[in-house]
Amino acid sequence: MESAATPLEQVHAEIAKACKASRRDPADIALIAVSKTQGPDAIEPLLAQGNRLFGENRVQEAQGKWPALIERYPDTQLHLIGQLQSNKAEEAVALFDCIHSLDRPSLLTALAKAMDKAGRRVPCFVQVNIGEEDQKGGCLPKDLPAFVRQVRDADIPLAGLMCIPPAEIEPAPFFAFLAKLAADNGVSGLSMGMSGDYPAAVMLGATHVRVGTALFGSRE
Ligand SMILES: *Cc1c(COP(=O)(O)O)cnc(C)c1O
């Protein structure tokens, strides 16, 4: 008897399809399961199916639920995908394996200090405010070259660029723009694509897709 594919299998199949269309290797795309607002009962099945990469958007929430899960699945990688306040930099450096929301000089200073203190370098993506929206975090495209230089000077491992395109409009041009900014600045990683648009992001060069709803169902 054939059993229906799990959401995790379906998302991997979509990634494989997008890779085939764009002649990419699925091994080059990291699927980050975005588990924000989800409790251990929802997260466990994904761990049991072998997924070991998760994304959270709040330091405090992650501190509450992940240590117990990581104890049982020690090879789990945890990425911070949400905005980070400078006063939480030390806690973020202690818990996360990668930070996707480095977007301003004050946070850069706080993270560099926290990494020095912890004796641990945590790779960071520079978040770009790709649609230049007032309400969104992220470095403006015009400020990116100078900011990337500052990140490199601070000896913070630069994982790549990250973006969240404006809602309700076609995201592909924004993904293509982020890919161009990465190439212009000699950066290789691209964190882009969420449940509604990750196949397009993969076709335009994403190395990390951040998928929540398609794996867990809708959040409360
Ligand atoms: C919540 C969130 C996601 C996942 O969104 P879905 O639409 O549920 O896949 C991705 N990236 C960031 C920064 C998020 O906050």
Side-chain angles (χ1 to χ4, degrees):
M1 261 196 4
E2 256 179 59
S3 59
T6 64
L8 182 64
E9 289 168 334
Q10 287 172 19
V11 170
H12 277 300
E14 286 295 322
I15 291 172
K17 210 161 81 181
C19 281
K20 199 166 174 213
S22 53
R23 298 189 167 76
R24 299 190 63 201
D25 182 349
D28 294 336
I29 289 104
L31 170 61
I32 302 170
V34 177
S35 49
K36 65 188 186 196
T37 78
Q38 308 294 344
D41 289 355
I43 297 171
E44 281 264 9
L46 283 188
L47 285 163
Q49 288 171 70
N51 191 76
R52 290 293 183 275
L53 178 54
F54 291 84
E56 290 283 343
N57 68 335
R58 287 166 159 213
V59 175
Q60 217 170 355
E61 181 186 339
Q63 282 173 327
K65 69 190 185 195
W66 276 101
L69 290 164
I70 291 172
E71 199 165 299
R72 295 178 46 215
Y73 298 91
D75 53 343
T76 299
Q77 297 272 311
L78 211 52
H79 287 203
L80 179 65
I81 60 168
Q83 281 195 8
L84 178 59
Q85 292 171 289
S86 295
N87 64 7
K88 296 261 171 68
E90 274 188 32
E91 291 163 273
V93 164
L95 180 61
F96 290 96
D97 300 291
C98 184
I99 294 169
H100 290 237
S101 48
L102 173 52
D103 65 352
R104 57 193 191 277
S106 56
L107 181 58
L108 169 68
T109 304
L111 282 171
K113 207 169 131 194
M115 288 183 204
D116 286 344
K117 194 170 165 191
R120 160 181 160 88
R121 308 315 283 182
V122 176
C124 294
F125 285 83
V126 167
Q127 182 173 352
V128 180
N129 188 346
I130 201 79
E132 306 197 20
E133 298 171 280
D134 289 340
Q135 78 278 18
K136 271 203 187 127
C139 173
L140 289 171
K142 70 171 171 59
D143 299 332
L144 188 63
F147 190 53
V148 162
R149 234 175 290 129
Q150 278 183 282
V151 174
R152 289 186 167 129
D153 288 347
D155 208 17
I156 291 181
L158 183 55
L161 303 182
M162 178 273 213
C163 78
I164 307 170
E168 320 271 322
I169 52 171
E170 170 58 44
F174 297 100
F175 294 151
F177 185 30
L178 193 72
K180 182 184 183 303
L181 290 172
D184 289 350
N185 287 280
V187 178
S188 56
L190 286 171
S191 169
M192 58 187 196
M194 318 197 334
S195 291
D197 53 26
Y198 66 93
V202 166
M203 288 193 267
L204 290 163
T207 59
H208 294 68
V209 292
R210 309 179 308 266
V211 178
T213 311
L215 292 170
F216 292 100
S218 56
R219 289 177 290 273
E220 309 261 292

